[in-house]
Amino acid sequence: MLESQPSWEVCGEAVNGREAVAKAVQLKPDLVVLDFAMPQLDGLKTATEIRALLPELPIVMFSMYAAQLKQEVQKHGISCLVDKTESGALMIAIQELLGPEEPLTGQPSS
């Protein structure tokens, strides 16, 4: 879904929270998308560690537990929370965080 946008590139993927922290530091992406349910470190702890190392990096939490996490995300430096049932909302959230340099492919421009 993310790679369908011509100006976006997925520069890395991680299978657990510890790897996500290491890859964020190594790759220095423009944005990180995390799930809450990850092995080794959950998404909140992963976000906290990434935020400590890369304080300006936007972090999106994309999770089926969004309703339960609403109160916690800001405490952990998460920029945006998106429910997995609203996958189109993920694209919009990323667009807003990265800036509107070009409209999403397949999405109406505003």
Side-chain angles (χ1 to χ4, degrees):
M1 181 172 54
L2 299 178
E3 291 175 329
S4 71
Q5 300 306 309
S7 63
W8 296 359
E9 177 185 346
V10 175
C11 66
E13 295 182 34
V15 296
N16 61 56
R18 295 226 179 272
E19 186 179 359
V21 172
K23 285 196 173 189
V25 170
Q26 174 192 5
L27 299 171
K28 296 187 178 34
D30 294 326
L31 179 135
V32 171
V33 178
L34 298 174
D35 191 351
F36 171 72
M38 295 189 301
Q40 295 187 14
L41 283 179
D42 67 41
L44 296 176
K45 292 175 184 168
T46 301
T48 299
E49 288 198 18
I50 291 172
R51 177 68 59 223
L53 298 166
L54 301 165
E56 301 301 316
L57 181 63
I59 301 171
V60 176
M61 178 74 64
F62 186 51
S63 179
M64 65 182 185
Y65 303 105
Q68 296 92 332
L69 295 171
K70 283 183 182 179
Q71 299 296 322
E72 292 295 313
V73 293
Q74 287 186 322
K75 294 178 193 175
H76 296 274
I78 295 167
S79 308
C80 183
L81 174 65
V82 179
D83 193 308
K84 277 192 175 179
T85 62
E86 302 175 25
S87 60
L90 175 62
M91 304 293 281
I92 293 167
I94 292 171
Q95 177 83 38
E96 289 174 357
L97 289 169
L98 293 179
E101 59 275 350
E102 67 181 77
L104 294 173
T105 302
Q107 299 285 327
S109 59
S110 44

